[in-house]
Amino acid sequence: MNTISNPILKGFNPDPSIIRVGDDYYIATSTFEWFPGVQIHHSRNLVNWNLITRPLNRESQLDIKGVPDSCGIWAPCLTHVDDVFYLTYTVVKNFNGDWKDTPNYVVTSSDIKGPWSKPSFVSGTGFDPSLFHDDNGKSYYMSMMVDHRNSKFFGGIVIQEFDRYLKKPIGKVHHIFSGSEHGLTEGPHIYKKNGYFYLLTAEGGTSYSHCVSLARSKSIFGPYEIAPNNPIITSKDSPSNYLQKTGHADLVETQNGEWYMVFLTGRPLTEQGRCITGRETAIEKVVWKEDNWLYLDHDSQEARQHVPAPNLPEHTFKPEKKRITFDSPSLDINFQSLRVPMTNAWISQTDRQKHLRLYGRESLSSCFEQSLIGRRVQAHHTIASTCIDFSPENFQQMAGLVCYYNTTHYHYVYISGDDIDAYSGKKFINVLSCDDNKTSHPISQAIDVSEVKKVYLKAEFNGAVIQFFFAIEIEATQPNWQAIGPELDGSILSDDYVVHTEKGYSPNFTGAFYGLACQDLSGQKIHADFEYFEYQEK
């Protein structure tokens, strides 16, 4: 029997929304502060998946410059009706205290790869928007509702009819579901089957108490009764299960009438520990039983690492390149930038042939204009490397390879210059660690590399341990790597660590990235040229 191996979308790919259009399956996932917004993966058999597009690729669609860490794009919902794709999403602007500023928008396209329309504002009621298209021609918009009164926060699920022509909700708002005993109700989706409207929600919070809840009603406006086997999926009572944090789900029916559920998950390094790969997407097979309730097909609430695959033709994609040589005008799709689009003002693959050029801008702690491109860490043991041609004039000019979680948590191996008035032409390799906004230099003395033009840098991320390396010589076509500095704690690059920082609760919903970065704190926009980027999973 063919099987699906979980997670199906590895690395930071949370809050999955799935649809089938003919023989094609698409999953949309959250991107938070990373630009362009929303990742869409494609499959034809639910086994193999390929990243094909990010729809929100213009500032007119997505203005998130300055948003705090882990704000930005939350929980997109992808639907399709009458030959049109609809993508609804939240742009979280603020998440401080009781106040949550959460405008929601919708964009449309006749082609999954775009172009996508300008956004239409829908609602600011809460987050996790969703559209349901009924078979009677009507559509409905729903979301969780933020209730700031007395620090309540989660106010249940609200729904309103949605005019597809006007792209806005119309008529009365209905509060349809307050949630179950698991609480923190969010992520709503509605399905119609067997004479019922089924309401699927995420509950318990997006960590180790996460779960998928199901309720049903004869009327879309309720009242909704909760499933007797609720929750449908959870790992909260199974701390040793391979897939943890299971929740925030969506359903799809195959061409052959089989049903599958995609959902958020995490793979901790230790039992209920830290997840360096962030919140990922997994899948399970589900069945409708005689009582018209939904169950996992193996009569358990625990999701499996290996799941029976549907009876669909084999379909594969070309393997991803391990080594990117920057020899084309377009950047590899796995890279994203922070909060702002990639423009010629700060990034180019044509200013120097077969090189990526970054023009230095703000620091790694900036929420505005960083010159950084990153790709997800997607396994528990990975290696990334690059080669840099960089001639800094002073210590305020830096370029290198960063292991990044957010503006307050990263490890950075970089090249920088001498004192600002030295004019010595010297350059040095150093390491900078940032833990809860507290920076340190883990090596006792910077390494002088003034006599070489190109410097090779490498990071090995093995479980909770990060080790940096450098090389200035090539032996048998391979850099002669030398370790630099001590082993560093890579587990701080995780939601689970960041949530427990001294500042108390703050949004923490992404995952670890490898990044190429250049800073020029003097504002002169000095450039660094990167010859290649290589990513390997061990």
Short mmCIF file of all heavy atoms in Angstrom, two decimals, residues 352 355 387-391 427 453-455 527-531:
data_model
loop_
_atom_site.label_atom_id
_atom_site.label_comp_id
_atom_site.label_asym_id
_atom_site.label_seq_id
_atom_site.Cartn_x
_atom_site.Cartn_y
_atom_site.Cartn_z
N ARG A 352 26.02 41.91 -10.87
CA ARG A 352 27.26 41.18 -11.09
C ARG A 352 26.88 39.79 -11.56
O ARG A 352 26.12 39.09 -10.90
CB ARG A 352 28.11 41.09 -9.82
CG ARG A 352 29.41 40.33 -10.03
CD ARG A 352 30.25 40.29 -8.77
NE ARG A 352 31.44 39.47 -8.95
CZ ARG A 352 32.32 39.21 -7.98
NH1 ARG A 352 32.12 39.71 -6.75
NH2 ARG A 352 33.38 38.45 -8.22
N HIS A 355 26.12 36.18 -9.51
CA HIS A 355 26.21 36.50 -8.10
C HIS A 355 24.91 37.14 -7.62
O HIS A 355 24.20 37.79 -8.41
CB HIS A 355 27.36 37.49 -7.81
CG HIS A 355 28.72 36.87 -7.87
ND1 HIS A 355 29.33 36.57 -9.07
CD2 HIS A 355 29.58 36.48 -6.89
CE1 HIS A 355 30.53 36.04 -8.83
NE2 HIS A 355 30.70 35.97 -7.51
N CYS A 387 29.50 31.65 -0.25
CA CYS A 387 30.79 32.30 -0.48
C CYS A 387 30.53 33.78 -0.71
O CYS A 387 29.68 34.15 -1.54
CB CYS A 387 31.49 31.68 -1.69
SG CYS A 387 33.07 32.46 -2.09
N ILE A 388 31.26 34.63 0.01
CA ILE A 388 31.00 36.07 0.00
C ILE A 388 32.23 36.84 -0.45
O ILE A 388 33.34 36.61 0.02
CB ILE A 388 30.59 36.57 1.40
CG1 ILE A 388 29.43 35.76 1.97
CG2 ILE A 388 30.21 38.05 1.35
CD1 ILE A 388 29.03 36.17 3.38
N ASP A 389 31.99 37.79 -1.35
CA ASP A 389 32.98 38.79 -1.74
C ASP A 389 32.50 40.11 -1.16
O ASP A 389 31.50 40.67 -1.62
CB ASP A 389 33.08 38.84 -3.27
CG ASP A 389 34.16 39.81 -3.75
OD1 ASP A 389 34.69 40.58 -2.93
OD2 ASP A 389 34.46 39.79 -4.95
N PHE A 390 33.21 40.61 -0.15
CA PHE A 390 32.73 41.77 0.60
C PHE A 390 33.93 42.57 1.10
O PHE A 390 34.87 42.00 1.66
CB PHE A 390 31.88 41.30 1.79
CG PHE A 390 31.27 42.39 2.62
CD1 PHE A 390 30.55 43.42 2.04
CD2 PHE A 390 31.39 42.37 4.00
CE1 PHE A 390 29.96 44.42 2.81
CE2 PHE A 390 30.81 43.36 4.79
CZ PHE A 390 30.09 44.38 4.19
N SER A 391 33.90 43.88 0.87
CA SER A 391 35.01 44.76 1.26
C SER A 391 34.48 45.89 2.14
O SER A 391 34.32 47.03 1.68
CB SER A 391 35.70 45.33 0.01
OG SER A 391 36.21 44.28 -0.79
N LYS A 427 39.46 43.46 7.25
CA LYS A 427 38.14 42.88 7.47
C LYS A 427 38.28 41.64 8.32
O LYS A 427 39.33 40.96 8.30
CB LYS A 427 37.42 42.58 6.15
CG LYS A 427 38.10 41.58 5.24
CD LYS A 427 37.30 41.43 3.95
CE LYS A 427 37.96 40.43 2.99
NZ LYS A 427 37.19 40.32 1.72
N LYS A 453 40.08 37.77 -0.87
CA LYS A 453 38.95 38.45 -1.50
C LYS A 453 37.63 37.77 -1.16
O LYS A 453 36.65 38.43 -0.79
CB LYS A 453 39.14 38.49 -3.02
CG LYS A 453 38.06 39.25 -3.78
CD LYS A 453 38.41 39.35 -5.25
CE LYS A 453 37.31 40.02 -6.07
NZ LYS A 453 37.02 41.40 -5.61
N LYS A 454 37.64 36.42 -1.26
CA LYS A 454 36.42 35.66 -1.01
C LYS A 454 36.54 34.87 0.28
O LYS A 454 37.58 34.30 0.58
CB LYS A 454 36.13 34.70 -2.17
CG LYS A 454 35.87 35.39 -3.50
CD LYS A 454 35.32 34.43 -4.54
CE LYS A 454 36.29 33.29 -4.86
NZ LYS A 454 35.77 32.43 -5.96
N VAL A 455 35.42 34.81 1.01
CA VAL A 455 35.38 34.05 2.26
C VAL A 455 34.20 33.09 2.19
O VAL A 455 33.08 33.48 1.80
CB VAL A 455 35.22 34.98 3.48
CG1 VAL A 455 35.07 34.16 4.75
CG2 VAL A 455 36.42 35.92 3.59
N HIS A 527 27.72 47.11 -0.75
CA HIS A 527 27.15 45.85 -1.22
C HIS A 527 28.06 44.67 -0.90
O HIS A 527 29.27 44.80 -0.71
CB HIS A 527 26.86 45.90 -2.72
CG HIS A 527 28.10 45.95 -3.57
ND1 HIS A 527 28.57 47.13 -4.12
CD2 HIS A 527 28.96 44.98 -3.98
CE1 HIS A 527 29.65 46.88 -4.82
NE2 HIS A 527 29.92 45.59 -4.76
N ALA A 528 27.43 43.51 -0.82
CA ALA A 528 28.12 42.23 -0.68
C ALA A 528 27.64 41.32 -1.80
O ALA A 528 26.45 41.32 -2.15
CB ALA A 528 27.82 41.59 0.67
N ASP A 529 28.57 40.55 -2.37
CA ASP A 529 28.24 39.63 -3.46
C ASP A 529 28.35 38.19 -2.96
O ASP A 529 29.40 37.79 -2.43
CB ASP A 529 29.19 39.83 -4.64
CG ASP A 529 28.96 41.16 -5.35
OD1 ASP A 529 27.83 41.67 -5.28
OD2 ASP A 529 29.92 41.69 -5.95
N PHE A 530 27.28 37.43 -3.17
CA PHE A 530 27.22 36.03 -2.76
C PHE A 530 27.31 35.16 -4.01
O PHE A 530 26.51 35.30 -4.94
CB PHE A 530 25.92 35.76 -2.01
CG PHE A 530 25.79 36.52 -0.71
CD1 PHE A 530 25.35 37.84 -0.71
CD2 PHE A 530 26.12 35.93 0.50
CE1 PHE A 530 25.23 38.55 0.48
CE2 PHE A 530 26.01 36.63 1.69
CZ PHE A 530 25.57 37.95 1.68
N GLU A 531 28.29 34.24 -4.01
CA GLU A 531 28.54 33.42 -5.20
C GLU A 531 27.55 32.27 -5.32
O GLU A 531 27.18 31.87 -6.42
CB GLU A 531 29.97 32.89 -5.13
CG GLU A 531 30.43 32.17 -6.37
CD GLU A 531 31.90 31.78 -6.26
OE1 GLU A 531 32.74 32.68 -6.10
OE2 GLU A 531 32.18 30.56 -6.30
#
